[in-house]
Amino acid sequence: MKAVNKPISKIDGMGLVTGKPVYTDDLAPKDALIVKILRSPHAFAKMKDIDVSRALKVPGVECVLTWKDIPRIPFTRSGASFPEPASYDSYILDEYVRYVGDSVAIVAAVDEETAEKAMKMIKVDYEVFEPVIDFEKAIDHPSVIHPDHKNYKPNAIIHPNFDRNVACEYEYDWSKGDKGIDEIFAECDVVIENTTYNQAQEHAMMETHRSYTYKDMHGRLVIVSSTQVPFHVRRTVARSLGMTPDQVRVIKPRIGGGFGAKQNLQAEFYPAAVTMRTGKPAKMIFSRVENTICGTTRHRMRIDTKIGAMKDGTIRAIDMEVLSDQGAYGEHSKTTLAPAGYKTIPLYNKADAYRFHGYTAYTNLPTAGAFRGFGVTQGIFATESIVNKLAHELDMDPAVIREKNMLKEGETSVGFNLSTVFDDLSELQTAESCGLEQAVKRGKELIGWDEKFPKKEVSSSKVRGVGMALSMQGSGIPNIDSASATIRFQENGFFTLLLGATDIGTGSDTILKQIAADAIGISEDRIRVFSSDTDLTPFDVGAYASSTTYVTGNAVINAGKLAREELFKQAARLLETDVDSLEFDGDKFTDKKSGEVLDLEHMGTKLTYGKFQHQIEVTGSYVPYKAASPYMACFVEVEVDTETGIVEVPNMVGVVDCGTPINPKLAKVQTEGGLIQGLGLALIEKISYDSRGRMTTDSLMEYKIPSRDDIKTNLVVEFTDTYEPTGPYGAKSIGEIVLNPTPPAIQDAIYNATGIWLTDLPMTPEKVLKALKEKKNK
């Protein structure tokens, strides 16, 4: 491997930092109509009447659309692969509004000032209902959030019950032998329980949701959007407007971050509806406040976990009961609920039994959607929290109890099969690569575990403690995610790599180029990358579920192998020799018989022009067939000020098993960013609502995320020496796993420092002080 495992810089890095016009708004037509949305002031209401006559009279207003003007076709905004694991429970516009900020009317005008003036002219008569704000009281609440569901398309696989405000129910129960899990709990020496809460969290990506639309010369709808899933946008927008996918083209420019937010469709529908109505270009840019209250959030969850073990620390049973806050629409109800269990229990695969049951409940809050970690973050907080608590109960070192119970390479777990669509449990899948043993050993060394555990006094008011946690994730979704890549050989000897995958700032265009270079056997400098355009690039499900490196990477390898075969065939034709007589050094072919040489520059030009014309263009595809999980061990050192309750994190270590890091520099940056995002979840970030469902943290002035000034942490990142046989050159995913273990590691470090056990994120100074006071008064 010459390009893979090489720390090259991002191919778009220089352009981005020098401000090249590459983002959606940079490219939009200057005469595009400005689209604004009148949004609901109520968390739950029905529009008895809406009068737009005065708004339409405002000079410069092109159109005003209400739910009466839009096709009443139910769909889901989830942006998942087809068929989506979600119910079709929303419309572009509906007569009901189900959260503060829900869409009421679409206004299109010549400029923003005119559109905002027109919005103020719209009169709406609402019938206001009692909203469901507390997700723990949502199921069987007197207010039914989706009362008019007769036109919906429920997904029976996820067991929705609209009359009970249930978006999804999911369960499984597994044990090794004849005994059920309750019998096994009865045999355990120790059984403990723990309840954890995580908060809703903002994605807070730099570039807000935005799209513009126009009709091409053939009358087709063209959508240019900051999206993670261009092909799913094409299918979903077409359905929502009563069109077919061939009538829609989606182009993705550069994206200014997503963290999962841009898997859900947000802005695309509104300018699309305007363009189809007026025939004119239209643009929708979410403001920061709009992005916050009308985008999606991480699912708030309560997880009740029970664990049974023997006195020597052997874990025998794990039971999880989950309640998840879905918000107004059920877009990612199952896809975040189920992974909270089946992508966490394999960490402790030697247990005799597992049980998992959970509901996702509708509430009158903004919809919860895809977010980096995808439910595993919540599940890891629950499982790692209770394993740490078990260690305290048994007076064992948390690292030792993990070394005794954690998954090792070559072992099996029921969780792998549960995460694989259409799989069964008759033959459990094997972890062909697992670096947890290396990760724990190296993480202990890097943090100085043996010297620092459990705590050290710094002063009369400051004490330091260390904590740890493990994590796992997936590498795409087996048997459902898919990707393709096309490689075209061009004149003068360069290659074009066409990708449907979407680089959302992670550097995936760069690492896929590195993979292609090694698959063909050329320098990465010969490859130009183009992504993504649904008319021009091959199909890819998009950037989510940690799939790009593993799934698209394997597709690129398959395309690269085909390209190499074709290059040899055409070189043999041009040199009038046999394929077996050729040697290729990455720049030129040499005929071993005659000594004749043909370099790629001349070969490319010959195949482009004149009598030798032959376009080399190949496409490789890939569908994952089994779980290929990455793993991670996280160690933290915290310093708790017992007078102020402030928790600082001076040292944090992440040791990641992502198989072969395709680009170590980008993998390191991904890990550092994930650790810090996890720190924000653990200590700082929180969305708040008032009693009527109005968000009180609707801008980055109120919603705090970690900044460079806040982070005084010494971050240490290393990678284990592992190789995944099914991965592209041994690689697995890294995008999401790096966030998950930080909250439980910090939670346990605080406990080791102070003896207080906090289970509700974020662990703010107020909560720390309150718990210290309660501990003192006991």
Side-chain angles (χ1 to χ4, degrees), residues 336-485:
T336 51
L337 174 65
Y342 62 56
K343 287 186 179 176
T344 58
I345 60 171
L347 288 171
Y348 303 104
N349 64 315
K350 298 170 186 63
D352 298 317
Y354 308 96
R355 183 165 57 199
F356 181 96
H357 176 261
Y359 286 110
T360 304
Y362 287 113
T363 59
N364 290 118
L365 295 175
T367 302
F371 201 131
R372 191 182 196 181
F374 236 107
V376 185
T377 306
Q378 296 91 321
I380 286 292
F381 182 49
T383 55
E384 290 304 279
S385 176
I386 200 166
V387 170
N388 282 328
K389 192 172 182 179
L390 175 66
H392 301 312
E393 180 74 18
L394 295 172
D395 196 23
M396 290 181 68
D397 184 326
V400 172
I401 202 168
R402 287 181 170 84
E403 288 164 347
K404 187 178 184 65
N405 291 282
M406 67 188 180
L407 179 79
K408 295 181 175 61
E409 192 164 286
E411 296 181 346
T412 62
S413 171
V414 62
F416 297 145
N417 295 63
L418 290 168
S419 68
T420 302
V421 180
F422 309 125
D423 207 346
D424 60 40
L425 304 180
S426 59
E427 184 177 352
L428 299 185
Q429 294 180 29
T430 301
E432 296 191 49
S433 64
C434 177
L436 278 174
E437 288 180 283
Q438 291 180 48
V440 171
K441 181 181 179 183
R442 184 59 180 150
K444 287 174 63 178
E445 293 170 354
L446 290 169
I447 201 74
W449 183 262
D450 291 337
E451 298 78 35
K452 296 177 178 176
F453 179 79
K455 68 176 180 179
K456 285 188 180 299
E457 300 283 343
V458 177
S459 68
S460 59
S461 63
K462 292 186 177 179
V463 59
R464 288 191 174 194
V466 290
M468 69 163 295
L470 306 182
S471 182
M472 62 174 291
Q473 194 78 33
S475 294
I477 306 170
N479 291 340
I480 193 164
D481 281 346
S482 59
S484 303

Side-chain angles (χ1 to χ4, degrees), residues 24-196:
T24 299
D25 198 24
D26 299 329
L27 307 174
K30 301 306 176 191
D31 61 346
L33 294 172
I34 303 301
V35 178
K36 289 287 181 181
I37 303 298
L38 179 66
R39 298 193 176 277
S40 170
H42 305 292
F44 191 22
K46 182 179 180 180
M47 284 176 271
K48 295 191 292 186
D49 187 37
I50 180 166
D51 181 359
V52 301
S53 58
R54 291 181 63 212
L56 285 170
K57 293 176 182 175
V58 176
V61 170
E62 193 71 24
C63 69
V64 179
L65 305 176
T66 73
W67 67 276
K68 300 173 184 175
D69 305 306
I70 299 291
R72 197 162 175 77
I73 302 171
F75 67 97
T76 174
R77 301 178 188 230
S78 64
S81 199
F82 182 82
E84 303 94 335
S87 297
Y88 288 2
D89 63 359
S90 65
Y91 307 100
I92 295 177
L93 295 174
D94 193 5
E95 60 185 319
Y96 284 91
V97 288
R98 297 182 173 86
Y99 66 93
V100 175
D102 205 352
S103 304
V104 172
I106 304 169
V107 177
V110 294
D111 56 39
E112 188 168 344
E113 183 180 5
T114 303
E116 290 182 347
K117 181 179 179 181
M119 281 200 299
K120 295 175 182 174
M121 303 292 182
I122 299 173
K123 290 184 64 177
V124 186
D125 184 11
Y126 293 100
E127 180 182 4
V128 179
F129 306 118
E130 180 64 26
V132 182
I133 306 300
D134 185 346
F135 78 112
E136 295 186 272
K137 299 177 181 175
I139 296 177
D140 297 326
H141 192 282
S143 291
V144 176
I145 296 170
H146 291 268
D148 185 18
H149 57 77
K150 61 181 182 299
N151 197 37
Y152 285 2
K153 185 179 176 185
N155 188 328
I157 294 175
I158 66 171
H159 309 294
N161 188 327
F162 300 111
D163 294 328
R164 297 189 63 205
N165 291 331
V166 172
C168 169
E169 183 179 7
Y170 179 77
E171 63 181 342
Y172 61 82
D173 190 342
W174 178 87
S175 59
K176 283 181 180 175
D178 297 332
K179 295 177 182 176
I181 190 168
D182 292 322
E183 293 176 271
I184 293 169
F185 271 124
E187 294 174 355
C188 292
D189 295 328
V190 178
V191 176
I192 61 172
E193 299 182 20
N194 193 45
T195 298
T196 52

